[in-house]
C-alpha cells in the first residue's frame, strides 16, 4: 500500500442487498478476494451484526475477516454485535444499546487507513431499522460510499432489485453496479430474469455468481468498479 495515499481517497464501497439472505456476505468476501487478486490490500467491515455462537462470534463477521488481507481489532470491524439472530433494532433495544452512526463512521475511517480498499456490508435489507429513528439507509448516507447492490436471484428478484435501486437513488447514493447472486439453483427462467434486470437497472452488471462456488472462485467472475 502507498503510505502517501490519502485514506479518504482510497476505494471503498457499501454492500447493499435486496433482502435478507441474498448473499451480501458471500459477495462481499468474493469482492475482497477480487481486490486481493488485483494486488490490493483489502478489509471488510460489518458495522451491525445479529446472531452469535456460544463463544460470541458472528458467522458473517468471521467470514469477512477471513477474506480480508489486513487484520484489525474487532471493535473496528464490527462495532455492534448482538447475540440473538433477530432484527437489529429489536436486538439493540433488548440489550439497552443505541446504535450510534457516528461511532460506526469513526470506526470505518480508522479501517480505511489500514488498507488499499474497504468494503462495508450492510445488515438485512436496505431499509431495515437500526433504532427508533435510524435505518440502514441512514447508515449508508452517513458513510457516503459508493454502493454495490447484491441481487439474490430467485422468484421476485426483479421487483426487489428495482425497488431497492429506486430507494438508493432517492437517497442520493452513488451506485457503482450490481451483482447477480444465484442463490436458487433451480430458479425458473434464470437467464430471462437476469436479462430483464440488466435492461431495467441503469447501472452496470458487475458479474454473476454461480451457486455453490467458493468466494475465491466467485471473485474471478466479478468486475471491480475501480
Amino acid at each position: 500500500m502507498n503510505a502517501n495515499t490519502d485514506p479518504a481517497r482510497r476505494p471503498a464501497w457499501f454492500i447493499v442487498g435486496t433482502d435478507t439472505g441474498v448473499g451480501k456476505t458471500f459477495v462481499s468476501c468474493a469482492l475482497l478476494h477480487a481486490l486481493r487478486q488485483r494486488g490490493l490490500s483489502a478489509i471488510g467491515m460489518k458495522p451491525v451484526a445479529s446472531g452469535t455462537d456460544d463463544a460470541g462470534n458472528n458467522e458473517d463477521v468471521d467470514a469477512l475477516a477471513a477474506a480480508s488481507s489486513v487484520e484489525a481489532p474487532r471493535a473496528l470491524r464490527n462495532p455492534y454485535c448482538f447475540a440473538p439472530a433477530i432484527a437489529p433494532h429489536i436486538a439493540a433495544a433488548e440489550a439497552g444499546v443505541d446504535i450510534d452512526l457516528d461511532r460506526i463512521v469513526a470506526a470505518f475511517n480508522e479501517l480505511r487507513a489500514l488498507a488499499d480498499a474497504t468494503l462495508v456490508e450492510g445488515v438485512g435489507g436496505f431499509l431495515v431499522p437500526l433504532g427508533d429513528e435510524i435505518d440502514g439507509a441512514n447508515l449508508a448516507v452517513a458513510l457516503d460510499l459508493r454502493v454495490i447492490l447484491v441481487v439474490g436471484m430467485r422468484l421476485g428478484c426483479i421487483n426487489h432489485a428495482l425497488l431497492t435501486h429506486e430507494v438508493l437513488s432517492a437517497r442520493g447514493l452513488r451506485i457503482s453496479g450490481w451483482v447477480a447472486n444465484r442463490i436458487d439453483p433451480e430458479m425458473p427462467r434464470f437467464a430471462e430474469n437476469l436479462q430483464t434486470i440488466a435492461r431495467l437497472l441503469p447501472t452496470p452488471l458487475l458479474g454473476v455468481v454461480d451457486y455453490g462456488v467458493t468466494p475465491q472462485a466467485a471473485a474471478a467472475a466479478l468486475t471491480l468498479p475501480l
Side-chain angles (χ1 to χ4, degrees), residues 97-120:
V97 172
D98 291 326
I99 295 175
D100 183 355
L101 298 185
D102 289 338
R103 174 181 168 185
I104 293 173
V105 172
F108 165 76
N109 287 333
E110 289 192 53
L111 280 182
R112 196 174 197 176
L114 300 178
D116 295 322
T118 309
L119 294 179
V120 181

Side-chain angles (χ1 to χ4, degrees), residues 46-53 55-62 74-75 77-86 88 91-92 95 97 99 103-104 123:
K46 179 86 171 180
V48 182
S50 297
T52 63
D53 60 19
N57 297 315
N58 175 267
E59 183 178 5
D60 293 347
V61 174
D62 290 348
R74 179 163 180 164
R77 295 184 290 105
N78 175 222
Y80 294 97
C81 189
F82 304 103
I86 57 178
V97 172
I99 295 175
R103 174 181 168 185
I104 293 173
V123 55

Side-chain angles (χ1 to χ4, degrees), residues 25-26 28-30 32-33 36 42-75 77-81 121 215-216:
T25 302
F26 184 88
S28 296
C29 290
L32 287 167
H33 283 290
R36 295 173 61 178
I43 192 165
M45 180 186 190
K46 179 86 171 180
V48 182
S50 297
T52 63
D53 60 19
D54 293 340
N57 297 315
N58 175 267
E59 183 178 5
D60 293 347
V61 174
D62 290 348
L64 291 171
S68 300
S69 61
V70 176
E71 294 185 3
R74 179 163 180 164
R77 295 184 290 105
N78 175 222
Y80 294 97
C81 189
E121 182 195 341
Q216 293 90 331

Side-chain angles (χ1 to χ4, degrees), residues 14 16 101 122-123 125-130 133-144 147 167-168 170-173:
F14 190 81
V16 169
L101 298 185
V123 55
F126 182 54
L127 293 179
V128 65
L130 301 179
E133 299 180 355
I134 60 172
D135 57 23
N138 296 126
L139 173 58
V141 170
L143 290 167
D144 191 27
V147 172
V167 176
L168 288 168
R171 296 297 180 108
L173 295 165

